[in-house]
Amino acid sequence: MPESHYRICPLCEACCGLEVKTEGAKVISIRGADNDVFSHGYLCPKGVSLKDLHEDPDRLRTPLIKRDGKFVPASWDEAFAEIEKRLLPIWREHGPDSVALTIGNPAAHKVSLLAYTPRLVRALGTRNAFSASTLDQMPKQLSAGLMFGHWLSIPLPDIERCDYLLILGGNPMISNGSLWTVPDYRGKAKAMRARGGRIVVVDPRRSETAAAADEHLAIRPGGDALLLAGIAHTLFDEGLLKLGRLADHINGLDEARAAVQPFAPEMTAAGCGIPAEVQRRIAREIASAPRAAVYGRIGTCTTRFGTVNSWLVDLINALTGNLDREGGAMFAKAAAFASNTQGKPGSGKGITTGRRKSRVSGAPEVFGELPITVMAEEMETAGEGQIKALISIASNPVLSAPGGPRIAKALEKLDFMLSLDIYVNETSRHADVILPGLSPLEDLHFDVAFPQLSHRNHARFSGPVFDAPAGTPQEWQTILRLCALLEGRGLDVDVAQLDDDAIESDVKRFAGDQTPAVLAALQPWRGPERLIDLQLRVGPYGDQFGRKPDGINLAKVKAASTVERGGIDLGALTARIPEILRTPSGRIELAPPSVLADLTSVRTEPAPEFSLIGRRDTRSGNSWMHNLPVLAKGPDRCTLLVNPGDADRLGLAEFARIKSAVGELIARVERSADMSPGVVSLPHGWGHDLDGVQLGVARERPGVNMNELLDDAARDPLSGNAVLSGIAVEIAPA
């Protein structure tokens, strides 16, 4: 008899609610959950692919240990014994920094990894922590931290009430938001335009989002700072400021005015490719619209001036009175795990960066981590603090980071590598031990990060669809066992006791002498569920352990998270300034000194003959999705998009040679009138033809690794984010 299960999709930021139908141990169908309070039945192909992921024969189901250069299956006890034997001596002899940790994007969708990995970092004591954040989003997080006092206080377009939306370097038609969780962007954009709203997209390519917009502006790659500064200049120059109620909550208006004064549109037009009159018109349209928002995403973050771009976006939102305003750029209020809803509202410690620097390049620490592009040099360079071992958690930097071949060589020379991964991929093939996680359908799900970035507030939970295989631990249990090893507790540990110790430590930090009572109230739960219940109860909608009987807790969220009810709707975004601010001044810092200093470096540079940009596809969110048949079918997606006029001029046929300052590739050519002349595009996450990779479907059409063309020394100096876009390349027939 078929059964229906409510499930939250863990494969992209949209976080759609699903209805999964099963019969016995088989998935019969997956469709959008019509009653989901957040996604309302929307579904993209990634949701359907959960069946393929669960059934994938290449997905690891048992630990692997490398013996004589080959992986062999092992028991969990054997795997941990190998870790104790190989990892601990390195850590003890060479110090905490000799063991690095890197964490990839899939971890953001797993509460077991996102909530427990910080414990592992503390147990290691290493300063060599890396993540995918410095490949795509750290500029936005840094800008938000400097302006508003917290890394995840990121303003989001209130699209359902917006009248004018300017999108730069983002493609939400494909991503359904990025640092903006907005399932079914297509439907919301269509509804916005139907009510008279206007959408303008700035992108070197006429992307899917641009094609469905009212206007597409083809910017020169890397010109975002010049365009945004030109718009900000115009707002000051033409007296278009409308600060409204924000006037009482702003520091640095005069400094911001002076900073953008040199960037008149007439001076920036050549560098960004957008005529001065168009820049001024856009500024007037934003200022005069009843409700407007500016949204800049990955294309604005992955440039030399990623943090400057991110700051300018919210400077414009603030100057036009659209920041923290209905229909403008607003802040979510997450039900749990959001530091900007906790503590004293309206002021705080703000953020601190550069508490340490990388050993070789001197790159600054940001948000507790170093740029992932310094990882290889920290492994290669001898001396105190050299990385000799690595713990990789759902991370594939060989395909996702610049200098992939260099990273692969550095990994091969490590004394020890441990991967927590579900595949033998381009990175984990170098590991000495691989510890697999569960299938998403065997694990519970609660989003930690994405409700802090959602276009509407909500609380949802989904439990496992299937029981985990006997004897297979959940990932949080694996991490606690690793922590116990580092703490000297050995192999024979009681994981339940480790869990009790961990939650007691968390509760003590805020409950003090009330800790026993709070722990007693949390008793029905274990592991992540206990953390979730704690965070929900002390959150802005929580029951405060009985003090607010109408508030929520995990039991209430679970009861509402069914196919029939689809979670708890917590309402549209509401104004949060000054409550959300965690800056020491208690005000919006409109002119962060470090950003203003970097702005002075923005200038018009000579245009290369060709610039390379990336792109994404709905069926290709991460490299491991390329092994799922339902997503892999259809046309070849790893192609070089080239403007037809450029292709004719160069005599390009089926293949082209792409050469940068650091590498070269041969890729299949796809002519596309959507590309601006002088701009070519490759997607990221491909290159599955390396030795030792065990991804059968992906290897059939491996594609090429764009990151071989990228310089791992090119970074936004403020955030450390890699420069992935606007790369000068030469194109020739192959």
Side-chain angles (χ1 to χ4, degrees):
M1 183 75 177
E3 293 184 73
S4 288
H5 310 263
Y6 175 72
R7 182 71 198 172
I8 302 168
C9 181
L11 298 184
C12 84
E13 291 190 36
C15 306
C16 298
L18 308 176
E19 181 180 0
V20 180
K21 288 190 176 181
T22 63
E23 189 161 1
K26 294 289 185 181
V27 175
I28 304 303
S29 67
I30 299 177
R31 61 187 297 273
D34 292 334
N35 296 320
D36 187 271
V37 299
F38 186 59
S39 58
H40 303 288
Y42 178 76
L43 179 70
C44 86
K46 289 192 286 292
V48 177
S49 75
L50 280 173
K51 171 181 168 62
D52 284 356
L53 177 57
H54 179 71
E55 297 173 356
D56 191 347
D58 290 332
R59 181 172 62 82
L60 300 180
R61 291 160 172 82
T62 187
L64 299 179
I65 296 177
K66 190 172 285 179
R67 302 291 190 202
D68 299 322
K70 295 183 178 181
F71 285 116
V72 297
S75 70
W76 285 90
D77 286 342
E78 288 171 335
F80 271 94
E82 185 77 1
I83 295 166
E84 181 184 46
K85 175 185 174 183
R86 302 273 309 273
L87 178 64
L88 292 193
I90 298 169
W91 182 67
R92 288 167 179 161
E93 179 180 350
H94 299 286
D97 293 342
S98 67
V99 182
L101 185 141
T102 179
I103 186 167
N105 277 334
H109 300 269
K110 286 198 166 191
V111 64
S112 280
L113 296 179
L114 206 57
Y116 284 80
T117 298
R119 301 184 192 278
L120 181 56
V121 175
R122 290 194 295 270
L124 279 171
T126 184
R127 294 182 296 180
N128 285 315
F130 308 93
S131 86
S133 294
T134 52
L135 293 172
D136 58 11
Q137 69 189 48
M138 193 59 83
K140 194 64 192 177
Q141 291 185 264
L142 176 57
S143 172
L146 293 172
M147 295 182 75
F148 311 117
H150 191 270
W151 305 97
L152 282 173
S153 293
I154 295 175
L156 316 163
D158 183 19
I159 189 171
E160 294 184 319
R161 298 178 290 189
C162 191
D163 299 301
Y164 187 98
L165 179 58
L166 177 65
I167 298 174
L168 301 98
N171 194 6
M173 191 76 79
I174 295 300
S175 66
N176 285 297
S178 178
L179 292 181
W180 179 32
T181 298
V182 54
D184 191 20
Y185 166 85
R186 182 190 300 272
K188 293 175 176 62
K190 184 177 180 180
M192 177 181 167
R193 296 179 69 199
R195 64 174 184 267
R198 179 173 172 79
I199 300 175
V200 179
V201 175
V202 179
D203 200 294
R205 177 172 76 97
R206 188 173 181 264
S207 66
E208 294 83 352
T209 300
D214 297 278
E215 184 176 6
H216 169 226
L217 301 175
I219 193 171
R220 174 179 156 185
D224 307 271
L226 290 165
L227 170 62
L228 289 163
I231 292 172
H233 171 100
T234 302
L235 295 173
F236 284 112
D237 184 51
E238 298 187 7
L240 300 175
L241 272 60
K242 295 181 179 180
L243 298 178
R245 69 179 186 85
L246 294 184
D248 295 331
H249 303 290
I250 284 176
N251 279 343
L253 182 63
D254 291 340
E255 291 88 344
R257 182 196 307 270
V260 300
Q261 194 279 329
F263 295 93
E266 292 72 20
M267 301 295 293
T268 63
C272 68
I274 308 296
E277 61 270 22
V278 176
Q279 295 184 49
R280 290 189 178 273
R281 171 176 61 82
I282 295 297
R284 295 171 193 140
E285 289 175 353
I286 298 169
S288 63
R291 299 170 297 187
V294 183
Y295 168 69
R297 200 32 210 115
I298 196 164
T300 63
C301 286
T302 55
T303 74
R304 158 64 181 81
F305 295 104
T307 303
V308 169
N309 292 335
S310 299
W311 165 72
L312 283 166
V313 164
D314 288 322
L315 174 68
I316 294 168
N317 283 325
L319 295 178
T320 55
N322 287 301
L323 180 67
D324 198 45
R325 170 191 181 191
E326 181 180 307
M330 305 190 75
F331 301 94
K333 183 181 281 188
F337 295 101
S339 296
N340 63 24
T341 66
Q342 300 170 1
K344 181 183 177 182
S347 66
K349 294 181 179 179
I351 65 166
T352 302
T353 66
R355 290 170 291 188
R356 60 183 181 275
K357 294 185 177 181
S358 66
R359 186 176 56 101
V360 180
S361 292
E365 164 270 336
V366 178
F367 200 15
E369 59 188 78
L370 295 171
I372 199 167
T373 52
V374 307
M375 186 169 69
E377 68 186 26
E378 292 293 332
M379 294 175 180
E380 298 164 343
T381 307
E384 185 177 352
Q386 179 185 7
I387 296 173
K388 294 179 175 293
L390 177 69
I391 299 175
S392 175
I393 300 178
S395 180
N396 193 3
V398 171
L399 286 197
S400 63
R406 181 183 183 184
I407 293 173
K409 290 179 182 178
L411 295 177
E412 194 60 33
K413 294 179 181 179
L414 289 174
D415 293 343
F416 182 76
M417 179 176 169
L418 166 65
S419 280
L420 276 66
D421 211 298
I422 60 174
Y423 285 115
V424 180
N425 61 26
E426 294 72 21
T427 296
S428 65
R429 68 192 170 120
H430 296 283
D432 297 284
V433 177
I434 304 179
L435 302 178
L438 299 171
S439 155
L441 296 182
E442 296 166 346
D443 204 356
L444 61 84
H445 187 92
F446 182 90
D447 282 307
V448 171
F450 302 115
Q452 302 181 56
L453 303 166
S454 292
H455 79 96
R456 187 176 180 88
N457 298 315
H458 57 94
R460 301 173 300 157
F461 176 97
S462 57
V465 173
F466 299 116
D467 292 335
T472 302
Q474 298 180 51
E475 284 156 309
W476 65 272
Q477 295 172 316
T478 297
I479 290 176
L480 286 181
R481 283 195 70 182
L482 290 173
C483 291
L485 274 182
L486 294 163
E487 292 163 359
R489 302 193 191 191
L491 294 171
D492 188 16
V493 292
D494 181 348
V495 176
Q497 185 60 52
L498 296 177
D499 180 37
D500 287 342
D501 294 344
I503 194 70
E504 183 174 356
S505 175
D506 288 345
V507 171
K508 278 183 177 178
R509 282 198 290 270
F510 74 90
D513 58 7
Q514 297 299 309
T515 296
V518 171
L519 290 174
L522 298 172
Q523 270 304 311
W525 314 111
R526 287 292 181 271
E529 290 182 305
R530 188 155 48 174
L531 280 177
I532 296 165
D533 191 39
L534 170 64
Q535 289 288 328
L536 285 169
R537 287 181 160 214
V538 301
Y541 312 95
D543 67 4
Q544 303 299 314
F545 291 97
R547 291 194 295 275
K548 294 184 177 180
D550 293 336
I552 64 174
N553 53 39
L554 180 56
K556 290 183 179 180
V557 174
K558 272 191 169 186
S561 297
T562 63
V563 171
E564 293 74 25
R565 296 180 61 186
I568 298 176
D569 178 28
L570 297 171
L573 306 186
T574 57
R576 294 193 62 192
I577 291 175
E579 166 264 320
I580 194 174
L581 299 176
R582 294 297 186 271
T583 55
S585 66
R587 297 164 73 86
I588 301 168
E589 297 297 345
L590 213 57
S594 60
V595 180
L596 298 194
D598 202 33
L599 179 64
T600 63
S601 299
V602 176
R603 57 180 58 88
T604 298
E605 302 286 352
E609 183 181 9
F610 285 98
S611 294
L612 174 67
I613 63 173
R615 70 179 187 272
R616 19 181 343 177
D617 186 278
T618 302
R619 295 175 178 268
S620 177
N622 281 299
S623 60
W624 52 272
M625 292 184 192
H626 299 159
N627 208 54
L628 306 179
V630 72
L631 299 183
K633 65 182 181 181
D636 187 359
R637 295 182 183 89
C638 189
T639 58
L640 181 74
L641 296 186
V642 185
N643 178 275
D646 288 335
D648 289 340
R649 178 170 57 85
L650 295 173
L652 298 182
E654 187 174 1
F655 292 95
R657 184 181 303 275
I658 314 117
K659 184 177 181 180
S660 73
V662 298
E664 63 179 74
L665 293 172
I666 294 176
R668 186 180 298 277
V669 171
E670 181 178 350
R671 291 168 173 248
S672 173
D674 292 331
M675 297 303 302
S676 299
V679 182
V680 296
S681 173
L682 274 175
H684 80 284
W686 297 83
H688 302 291
D689 54 354
L690 301 178
D691 291 341
V693 173
Q694 298 179 21
L695 299 169
V697 173
R699 289 183 69 91
E700 292 176 5
R701 287 194 291 184
V704 296
N705 184 359
M706 172 186 175
N707 288 293
E708 294 187 27
L709 301 172
L710 305 181
D711 184 355
D712 60 7
R715 292 184 286 272
D716 169 22
L718 298 183
S719 68
N721 205 88
V723 175
L724 310 178
S725 186
I727 309 302
V729 293
E730 299 173 6
I731 308 294

